[in-house]
Amino acid sequence: MEGASNWGPAAMEVQAAPKAKFKIPVDDDSKATEFWLFSFSRSHMSAFHLSWFSFFCCFVSTFAAPPLMPLIRDNLGLTAKDIGNAGVASVSGAVFARLAMGTACDLVGPRLASAAIILLTTPAVYCTSIINSASSFLLARFFTGFSLASFVSTQFWMSSMFSAPKVGLANGVAGGWGNLGGGAVQLLMPFVFEAVRKIGSTKFVAWRVAFFIPGIMQTVSAIAVLALGQDMPDGNYRKLHKSGEMHKDSFGNVLRHAVTNYRAWILALTYGYSFGVELAVDNIVAEYFYDRFDVNLHTAGLIAATFGLANIVSRPGGGLMSDWLSQRYGMRGRLWGLWVMQTIGGVLCVVLGIVDYSFGASVAVMILFSLFCQAACGLTFGIVPFVSRRSLGLISGMTGGGGNVGAVLTQVIFFRGGKYKTETGIMYMGIMILACTLPVAFIYFPQWGGMLAGPRPGATADDYYNGEWTAEERDKGYNAATKRFAENSVREGGRRAASGSDSRHTVPVDGSPAPADV
């Protein structure tokens, strides 16, 4: 066996030497091997900050309406069914948008894909200020919700910039900080509304003016992504395709390898009841506390904000946990971690629906539930980058789209039309989480194993990933990046596999040849 990833630390120094153009340490595929949170170094950390902030702005826009719902409801004469339909609309459009975004990332790169979806949906945010009926409110929320597809480009971008040992953390922080928008907007919109009111505006005008803030934020973020972003560590897709450093793939190949990988479908299902649940709660939580416990609008918004703001630590914590479990137990650790955290989240969701008689207990359980639910999101995208390399974008889109499908189904079944009391719907939602987390046990990687079984004897990451390429494509070198990833993912076999591999492949500091395999 030969492979740069199987060499020891000295080899990493030798391999990293040609990559001196980066301030951050990188592997032989130019992916960052460290995560410098407060750095803006190009191109790894600048991509990180651009991706999470643009996704944050899209989250703010999509969920700008719920904090002001009592005002919008009274102003437009909305019924409970109208509000439920609008909530479904806000997350349903992104189902297909996320699939399209994943494919766009694979074909044209995350920079153009992200900026395009953000700019295309921005007019809908501004148009919210002129709505005058239930139907126009639904349309505004529907088209604004397309912007949530920027999540896919965020996760794809991080998976393209960070090495396997750091990809869970990078995806977790970028996704978590982006999701913070769902909590921050619960504070932002009531604050802007009150500020406009103090100037002397009426309630009718004030809530409409408030929507210009998320619109401006979204516009600025898209321009920043276009001006300052870069698709890959070594350049944009157009440059890499033109130079021949990257193979320009076809839609058919990307689609085929995504839809035929059963692991992608299972992750889409489980993500539907982690992130999907988060979206559903973002739509209902402020109104729930406002109506159930008779608190004022500001207090309801503050309570609802804590659910989304937990993302500052919960989702990044899930990503960090995924990487830590991988370091000790490999891919099997990542899978077990996802199942445990999401199952606990399901139990807490059931409890949240049961303790509706107590304001204090409801708030406390909601915060605990948010921590586990969002950590499961981070753990999910600690696994997604390893499902496929050729169809990474589309599989990220399928998983992200699964989150929106889960949100739509949950909203339609439990929180639309008054069929169930909100607290009863929350309890049933928890039961759905428990049921839809079970299939994680069926995810199996031949080279690393799964929750219930170890790896298949003789199976390698090289065989798994390069199996997506034909012999002719491999002969032409189209799979070069895939091969490097397979070599650099050795630690997913667990501590024993990584240490055993390192001990067999060591390059001396002086760069002399490694000893032959025995």
Side-chain angles (χ1 to χ4, degrees), residues 5-251:
S5 68
N6 293 335
W7 299 346
M12 294 301 294
E13 295 178 8
V14 173
Q15 288 295 109
K19 308 296 181 182
K21 60 181 179 180
F22 300 114
K23 291 182 180 180
I24 197 169
V26 298
D27 62 16
D28 59 337
D29 201 22
S30 296
K31 293 184 178 181
T33 58
E34 295 184 13
F35 185 75
W36 296 352
L37 181 59
F38 300 107
S39 168
F40 289 85
S41 64
R42 189 173 177 88
S43 54
H44 305 82
M45 297 313 302
S46 60
F48 163 75
H49 289 292
L50 288 168
S51 64
W52 80 257
F53 180 70
S54 60
F55 182 43
F56 175 93
C57 293
C58 292
F59 233 100
V60 167
S61 298
T62 300
F63 293 99
L68 301 179
M69 190 60 71
L71 295 168
I72 299 173
R73 177 181 63 190
D74 295 342
N75 189 201
L76 300 181
L78 302 178
T79 65
K81 186 175 181 179
D82 293 331
I83 295 170
N85 287 337
V88 172
S90 69
V91 294
S92 60
V95 173
F96 301 104
R98 287 187 170 200
L99 293 174
M101 175 64 79
T103 306
C105 286
D106 282 323
L107 299 178
V108 303
R111 171 179 159 268
L112 289 178
S114 177
I117 194 67
I118 296 172
L119 288 175
L120 286 172
T121 55
T122 298
V125 186
Y126 290 116
C127 285
T128 307
S129 63
I130 60 173
I131 58 175
N132 57 12
S133 65
S135 59
S136 58
F137 177 60
L138 183 147
L139 288 173
R141 294 212 68 193
F142 176 71
F143 287 111
T144 301
F146 274 63
S147 66
L148 290 181
S150 60
F151 167 77
V152 176
S153 58
T154 295
Q155 301 297 281
F156 182 94
W157 215 348
M158 296 303 92
S159 298
S160 301
M161 289 289 180
F162 292 88
S163 64
K166 295 296 179 183
V167 71
L169 176 61
N171 273 335
V173 179
W177 284 17
N179 284 358
L180 278 176
V185 73
Q186 304 283 353
L187 301 175
L188 175 66
M189 295 303 285
F191 174 80
V192 174
F193 168 78
E194 291 297 338
V196 176
R197 284 273 289 134
K198 287 180 180 178
I199 294 174
S201 177
T202 64
K203 288 183 179 181
F204 176 83
V205 173
W207 72 258
R208 295 173 182 274
V209 172
F211 276 89
F212 278 87
I213 299 302
I216 292 170
M217 290 174 62
Q218 196 166 312
T219 303
V220 170
S221 72
I223 294 172
V225 167
L226 276 176
L228 305 174
Q230 183 171 294
D231 291 319
M232 301 288 284
D234 295 316
N236 289 320
Y237 269 36
R238 185 175 180 180
K239 170 195 167 186
L240 296 175
H241 288 155
K242 190 174 181 180
S243 67
E245 295 178 58
M246 176 184 287
H247 170 59
K248 189 172 184 178
D249 218 334
S250 68
F251 171 73

Side-chain angles (χ1 to χ4, degrees), residues 411-496:
Q411 195 87 26
V412 168
I413 296 171
F414 303 127
F415 305 113
R416 176 177 173 268
K419 181 178 181 181
Y420 298 105
K421 292 182 178 179
T422 302
E423 55 270 27
T424 304
I426 291 172
M427 182 184 68
Y428 287 155
M429 180 170 67
I431 295 172
M432 288 286 285
I433 294 172
L434 295 173
C436 292
T437 306
L438 291 174
V440 174
F442 296 106
I443 296 178
Y444 182 81
F445 292 88
Q447 69 275 31
W448 299 319
M451 281 177 59
L452 306 178
R456 185 181 303 159
T460 67
D462 192 71
D463 292 336
Y464 176 81
Y465 292 113
N466 285 301
E468 296 181 320
W469 302 86
T470 65
E472 183 180 357
E473 290 171 329
R474 293 196 295 269
D475 289 341
K476 292 179 180 179
Y478 293 167
N479 66 322
T482 298
K483 188 173 180 62
R484 289 194 298 269
F485 178 84
E487 293 170 346
N488 289 326
S489 64
V490 63
R491 292 188 181 276
E492 295 306 310
R495 179 181 292 177
R496 181 178 298 179

Side-chain angles (χ1 to χ4, degrees), residues 95 98-99 151-152 155 263-276 315 377 380-381 383-385 387 392-406:
V95 173
R98 287 187 170 200
L99 293 174
F151 167 77
V152 176
Q155 301 297 281
R263 301 166 191 83
W265 294 104
I266 292 178
L267 289 170
L269 172 65
T270 58
Y271 197 62
Y273 283 89
S274 57
F275 181 67
R315 187 161 184 151
C377 295
T380 300
F381 273 87
I383 298 167
V384 167
V387 174
L392 171 62
L394 184 50
I395 287 178
S396 297
M398 289 169 64
T399 307
N404 286 79
V405 170

